[in-house]
């Protein structure tokens, strides 16, 4: 019996300049470059075992064996690695999400970054993190960015080989994010489906693309200058523009719920009352993320608790790059997961 094992952790990331649309579905090439903040509060731990006695791939998530459809997604992803080095063994994948799955909190980003790193470690692939991000991309676009910590850019690239992510700043200048987790159930419209429908039917989509290029350039200048106000204003504007493309798709749709609107209104009210620099963004789900100063987080949580239950407000600081875990780390992770539920 020959066995190759790899274990890795990757944190989720929240896009400040959104990736919204693919120019190539098969290769996961995006229509635009994007930029995100990696979060320390949410992550995925994944173990992969390649073994020549296995007769098929298998996949368990959060201790539950997954459906054939989910296994197929994982198999297709592992095939990229197998084809790259001529590996014939099937694999067992076990994963723990310390983030709600499919709720617009970027579980697919941490998931495929962790699986990519665990696979590369198991198979002893000698790749730079940038190269690895081109593999992660094929599982889920946003996972390119979860291989890195702090503020991260994913370059749309000219083709598959250069559509990759890289870190641009460690975000170690009093940056924080609050997640207003109003609803963590699985969403009805996957990001993949929502973005494709939007690209095909929204008359606003060309304007989204055009202005997003300008937003990216301006937000990078703001990050390098540590200009928090401009960073926040661009973040909020870019997120709202993305959601305007869903409202203008045909038929129209939205990821927002009544609770999302209440949370947004709470942020506006608190911003006005406390005179604090706080800015919102939302992804393909109903939850609201609030970019703020890390040093303001306590005051903000207190103020926002007047509008929504305190247990729905989750604090996060910028998160680190993806990392390899030991067998002991993996056991500790299982222990922690079982204590959570
Ligand atoms: P989210 O907002 O959570 O990123 P998506 O719809 O983009 O939602 O992605 C969720 C999908 O990602 C899940 O349905 C599943 O297919 C995949 N996924 C989530 N977590 C994992 C994991 N730990 N390992 C492998 N795949 C995962
Ligand atoms: C709104 O990366 O989940 O969160 O590449 O099809 O897996 P696929 O999509 P995914 O989409 C993320 C969309 C977003 C914006 C972003 O994270 O940039």
């Amino acid at each position: 019996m020959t066995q190759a094992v790899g274990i890795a952790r990757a944190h989720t990331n929240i896009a400040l300049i959104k990736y919204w649309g693919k120019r190539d579905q098969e290769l996961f090439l995006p229509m635009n470059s994007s930029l995100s903040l990696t979060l320390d509060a949410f992550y995925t731990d994944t173990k992969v075992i390649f073994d020549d006695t296995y007769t098929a791939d298998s996949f368990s998530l959060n201790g539950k064996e997954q459906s054939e459809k989910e296994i197929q997604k994982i198999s297709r992803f592992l095939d990229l690695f197998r084809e790259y080095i001529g590996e014939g063994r099937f694999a067992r994948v076990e994963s723990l999400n310390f983030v709600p799955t499919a709720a617009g909190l970027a579980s697919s980003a941490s998931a495929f970054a962790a699986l990519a790193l665990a696979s590369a470690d198991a198979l002893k692939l000698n790749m730079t993190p940038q190269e690895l991000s081109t593999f992660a991309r094929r599982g889920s676009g946003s996972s390119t960015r979860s291989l890195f910590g702090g503020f991260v850019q994913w370059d749309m690239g000219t083709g598959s080989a250069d559509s990759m992510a890289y870190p641009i700043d460690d975000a170690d200048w009093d940056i924080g994010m609050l997640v207003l987790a109003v609803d963590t159930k699985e969403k009805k419209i996957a990001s993949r489906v929502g973005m494709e429908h939007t690209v095909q039917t929204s008359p606003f989509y060309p304007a989204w693309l055009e202005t997003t290029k300008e937003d990216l350039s301006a937000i990078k200048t703001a990050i390098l200058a540590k200009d928090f106000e401009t960073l926040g204003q661009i973040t909020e504007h870019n997120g709202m523009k993305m959601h305007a493309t869903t409202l203008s798709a045909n038929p129209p749709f939205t990821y927002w719920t009544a609770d999302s609107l209440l949370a947004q209104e709470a942020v506006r009210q608190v911003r006005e009352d406390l005179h604090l620099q706080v800015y919102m963004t939302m992804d393909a789900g109903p939850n609201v993320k609030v970019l703020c100063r890390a040093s303001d987080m306590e005051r903000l949580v207190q103020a926002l608790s007047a509008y929504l239950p305190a247990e729905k407000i989750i604090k996060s600081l910028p998160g680190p790059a993806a990392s390899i875990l030991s067998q002991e780390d993996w056991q500790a992770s299982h222990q922690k997961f079982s204590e959570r539920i």
Side-chain angles (χ1 to χ4, degrees):
M1 178 180 96
T2 68
Q3 217 181 50
V5 182
I7 314 173
R9 170 172 299 174
H11 290 256
T12 61
N13 71 79
I14 298 301
L16 309 184
I17 302 296
K18 308 293 184 190
Y19 146 55
W20 194 240
K22 296 181 182 68
R23 64 186 197 276
D24 186 320
Q25 310 289 326
E26 179 65 26
L27 295 174
F28 286 70
L29 295 177
M31 292 288 252
N32 62 280
S33 300
S34 53
L35 185 142
S36 59
L37 176 67
T38 300
L39 299 186
D40 79 335
F42 302 107
Y43 58 91
T44 297
D45 287 350
T46 297
K47 178 177 188 175
V48 56
I49 307 163
F50 292 88
D51 187 316
D52 61 1
T53 66
Y54 294 161
T55 53
D57 291 329
S58 63
F59 170 38
S60 96
L61 174 59
N62 298 342
K64 289 194 194 81
E65 293 305 317
Q66 297 295 292
S67 67
E68 204 44 50
K69 189 171 152 229
E70 288 296 323
I71 297 172
Q72 267 178 23
K73 260 201 220 174
I74 296 289
S75 289
R76 275 200 300 273
F77 185 71
L78 293 176
D79 283 345
L80 300 171
F81 290 89
R82 288 190 280 235
E83 282 159 18
Y84 182 67
I85 54 155
E87 169 65 59
R89 287 172 291 186
F90 289 110
R92 164 94 184 138
V93 173
E94 290 175 16
S95 191
L96 296 174
N97 275 348
F98 291 85
V99 54
T101 303
L105 291 172
S107 70
S108 67
S110 52
F112 285 97
L115 182 57
L117 183 57
S119 303
D121 184 43
L123 299 173
K124 306 272 172 283
L125 302 184
N126 202 7
M127 280 184 194
T128 62
Q130 272 76 26
E131 274 178 280
L132 191 57
S133 77
T134 67
F135 278 74
R137 194 190 74 229
R138 307 280 296 275
S140 182
S142 50
S143 71
T144 52
R145 302 181 307 237
S146 271
L147 285 165
F148 305 94
F151 291 115
V152 183
Q153 178 169 344
W154 169 19
D155 254 350
M156 63 187 288
T158 56
S160 194
D162 66 350
S163 184
M164 53 176 57
Y166 53 91
I168 60 167
D169 181 276
D170 60 11
D172 190 16
W173 39 285
D174 198 22
I175 301 289
M177 189 169 266
L178 298 179
V179 174
L180 311 184
V182 295
D183 182 354
T184 54
K185 286 196 295 295
E186 281 204 21
K187 58 193 163 199
K188 293 194 185 82
I189 306 173
S191 342
R192 198 160 297 180
V193 175
M195 68 173 80
E196 179 55 11
H197 177 61
T198 302
V199 171
Q200 284 176 359
T201 64
S202 169
F204 291 3
Y205 193 77
W208 152 260
L209 268 189
E210 199 46 46
T211 60
T212 288
K213 277 192 207 121
E214 294 157 18
D215 290 348
L216 179 65
S217 154
I219 208 168
K220 278 167 68 180
T221 306
I223 289 171
L224 297 179
K226 299 192 180 2
D227 175 353
F228 185 74
E229 190 175 6
T230 306
L231 167 71
Q233 284 169 348
I234 297 171
T235 296
E236 187 161 311
H237 188 208
N238 188 267
M240 293 293 175
K241 283 190 288 186
M242 180 202 116
H243 288 276
T245 68
T246 73
L247 292 174
S248 55
N250 193 9
F253 70 105
T254 183
Y255 289 104
W256 297 1
T257 61
D259 286 336
S260 314
L261 290 172
L262 289 174
Q264 286 186 14
E265 212 32 55
V267 173
R268 289 190 192 97
Q269 197 58 53
V270 164
R271 172 156 64 195
E272 204 179 302
D273 292 348
L274 302 185
H275 304 289
L276 289 181
Q277 292 176 332
V278 285
Y279 306 94
M280 349 173 210
T281 187
M282 290 181 66
D283 294 287
N287 302 306
V288 176
K289 292 99 184 189
V290 183
L291 182 68
C292 61
R293 291 292 194 183
S295 52
D296 289 335
M297 281 201 295
E298 285 304 337
R299 275 178 77 197
L300 277 168
V301 171
Q302 228 180 5
L304 287 166
S305 309
Y307 299 89
L308 67 162
E311 68 274 9
K312 295 197 169 182
I313 309 174
I314 305 163
K315 288 184 285 185
S316 185
L317 291 171
S323 59
I324 306 286
L325 298 185
S326 66
Q327 186 56 38
E328 291 71 46
D329 295 332
W330 178 245
Q331 271 154 8
S333 181
H334 263 280
Q335 182 63 31
K336 185 168 174 192
F337 192 85
S338 60
E339 283 162 8
R340 273 164 50 111
I341 46 182

